[in-house]
Amino acid sequence: MRQYVVYTRVSTKEQGRSGLGLEAQERDIELFLTNYSEVPWEIAGTFRDVQSGGDDDRPQLRAALELCRRSGAELLVAKLDRLSRKVAFIAQLMDDPKLRLRVATMPQADKFQLHIYAALAEQERDFISARTKTALKAAKARGKALGGLRDTTMRRNAAIQQKAVSEAQILLQIIGPMRDAGQTLEAIAAALDRMEVATSRGGKWTAKQVSRVLARSRS
């Protein structure tokens, strides 16, 4: 009779409590047993860790491996990354003469094929990690550039505002006495044009512009 030791793993305590990921692993294992396993078969033990696949020192995995070595049962996992994310660790297990490994989602794969798959999966993870770091670095650089642009714009706007206030203080020496004398904003604007006092943009004076100068002078 074919014997299996079933091992499943999820990465976080939240996944362990909620069952996220576990149902999929159990379904794949059931599909393997129903469609691909020799018959009759039995489950010699079931073990589960709630721990990262990057950490190979897992208590339930150790127990599962010990039972396999002791009983001669095959270690059955749903996917290779449930066993480990490190190709060196998987290769070490496959080199153990007392262990036999079976992956439910690759029911016909032999040791050589599993080794190749583990190496390719690790290479892909390394590439994704490098790509993510590069993207984050680029995003940070863009953020600095945008931040620098915003700072430059703010400094320019502040300089423009300060220049307007300074000009208003000078113009107030002319506009102030006329306003104190009861002149209307329209009359002051006309007087400034007659004196050929230029506006900040070089245009004609209006009552609204005179009002702005008075407001800036009080800033």
Side-chain angles (χ1 to χ4, degrees):
M1 177 180 292
R2 181 72 64 178
Q3 288 187 317
Y4 298 102
V5 171
V6 174
Y7 176 75
T8 56
R9 181 187 64 79
V10 287
S11 298
T12 65
K13 292 181 180 180
E14 287 73 20
Q15 286 178 316
R17 286 194 295 265
S18 67
L20 294 174
L22 293 175
E23 289 184 3
Q25 293 178 60
E26 292 169 352
R27 182 183 63 247
D28 290 342
I29 288 169
E30 182 63 30
L31 286 171
F32 168 81
L33 293 172
T34 302
N35 296 284
Y36 296 97
S37 176
E38 296 179 10
V39 291
W41 55 262
E42 69 175 1
I43 303 299
T46 301
F47 300 86
R48 176 181 300 162
D49 277 310
V50 181
Q51 203 166 341
S52 169
D55 183 1
D56 293 324
D57 185 18
R58 287 166 262 151
Q60 290 299 299
L61 177 58
R62 288 199 307 270
L65 294 174
E66 289 172 4
L67 179 56
C68 287
R69 294 186 180 105
R70 187 171 63 251
S71 66
E74 294 185 39
L75 181 65
L76 175 59
V77 295
K79 297 176 63 178
L80 202 54
D81 65 1
R82 297 301 87 193
L83 181 59
S84 177
R85 294 185 180 277
K86 300 176 182 176
V87 63
F89 181 79
I90 293 173
Q92 182 181 6
L93 293 181
M94 289 191 292
D95 286 340
D96 189 331
K98 295 184 179 180
L99 282 177
R100 288 181 294 169
L101 175 63
R102 189 61 63 95
V103 180
T105 54
M106 294 184 289
Q108 308 299 337
D110 57 23
K111 284 187 176 182
F112 177 76
Q113 290 169 325
L114 291 176
H115 196 140
I116 294 297
Y117 178 83
L120 291 173
E122 184 176 83
Q123 186 179 75
E124 181 183 27
R125 285 191 297 270
D126 289 344
F127 180 84
I128 291 172
S129 176
R131 182 178 63 191
T132 301
K133 290 177 181 178
T134 300
L136 290 173
K137 186 177 180 180
K140 186 176 181 180
R142 287 196 299 271
K144 285 184 177 179
L146 290 173
L149 180 61
R150 285 194 296 268
D151 292 343
T152 301
T153 301
M154 290 177 65
R155 286 194 296 270
R156 183 174 64 249
N157 290 342
I160 292 172
Q161 184 176 12
Q162 182 59 43
K163 180 174 180 291
V165 170
S166 298
E167 290 177 349
Q169 294 293 341
I170 296 173
L171 288 168
L172 186 63
Q173 297 177 25
I174 303 172
I175 295 174
M178 288 191 287
R179 187 62 171 166
D180 292 340
Q183 295 286 328
T184 64
L185 297 177
E186 289 80 1
I188 294 173
L192 290 171
D193 284 337
R194 287 195 301 271
M195 290 185 289
E196 297 183 351
V197 176
T199 65
S200 59
R201 295 185 179 181
K204 294 289 186 180
W205 281 94
T206 65
K208 189 173 184 179
Q209 287 175 311
V210 173
S211 177
R212 287 174 180 169
V213 169
L214 291 170
R216 286 172 184 160
S217 66
R218 294 191 292 267
S219 300

